[in-house]
Amino acid sequence: GSSGSEAGGADAPGGEAACALSIAQTLSTLPPEWQGRSCIKNGVWKAASHCSEIKVHPSGRFVFVANRGHDSLAVFAVDPGTGGLSPPVFTPSGGATPRNFSFCCGGRFVVVGNQDSNCLCLFEVDERTGALELAHSIDCPSPNYVYAVPRAKSADARAAAAAGAGAAAGA
């Protein structure tokens, strides 16, 4: 008898689904010339760059990774048939030390918080390729966490929507 579990959703004793982990693919988030680099900061060895954030785009078609040190966003395309990732395309983060990022407007944009350069950068995301284009940047002291809050509709738009809803309801 085997003491391990098998993946595939088979029921384990007690009615719980059995699962197992396996490595499907290994890719670097850095370009080849950055792989293996290191530095000494305050007498301590550190990698010259490391990931700060990994998120799947709302469309499910791309995986985004922020690289601190290389100061970039790496965008991997997801193969819809296999789930495998393409080699990444790199875009400078617009500042130093991209700590966090957030998608907004359904994934049309991504906001990046660059901690050590005290700025937020807004990139437009090409929905077909995942390519990023810098759209705007503002100063922000040491952004550590970024969350894009949807704008509220204007008072006029809310009033028009309410009037339309009232008319449709026969009010």
Side-chain angles (χ1 to χ4, degrees):
S2 172
S3 61
S5 297
E6 292 183 25
D11 285 335
E16 295 181 25
C19 63
L21 298 176
S22 65
I23 296 173
Q25 187 177 11
T26 303
L27 296 169
S28 178
T29 67
L30 295 169
E33 64 273 13
W34 271 77
Q35 294 173 24
R37 283 190 185 182
S38 63
C39 63
I40 304 290
K41 283 192 176 182
N42 300 321
V44 177
W45 179 92
K46 290 185 74 166
S49 185
H50 58 278
C51 296
S52 61
E53 186 83 24
I54 302 171
K55 291 185 181 177
V56 176
H57 186 267
S59 70
R61 297 181 57 204
F62 307 102
V63 174
F64 283 58
V65 177
N67 290 309
R68 290 192 242 172
H70 187 250
D71 297 332
S72 66
L73 288 182
V75 179
F76 300 82
V78 178
D79 182 302
T82 66
L85 302 179
S86 69
V89 174
F90 302 97
T91 301
S93 67
T97 317
R99 175 139 184 140
N100 189 256
F101 62 88
S102 179
F103 296 108
C104 60
C105 302
R108 184 172 164 219
F109 295 95
V110 62
V111 181
V112 180
N114 291 292
Q115 181 180 10
D116 291 347
S117 57
N118 302 309
C119 68
L120 295 173
C121 293
L122 179 71
F123 291 87
E124 187 166 6
V125 179
D126 183 301
E127 65 184 37
R128 293 177 304 103
T129 66
L132 303 176
E133 184 175 336
L134 183 62
H136 190 67
S137 180
I138 62 170
D139 292 338
C140 178
S142 192
N144 281 277
Y145 180 77
V146 178
Y147 182 77
V149 178
R151 282 189 181 175
K153 292 181 181 178
S154 70
D156 291 341
R158 283 193 303 267

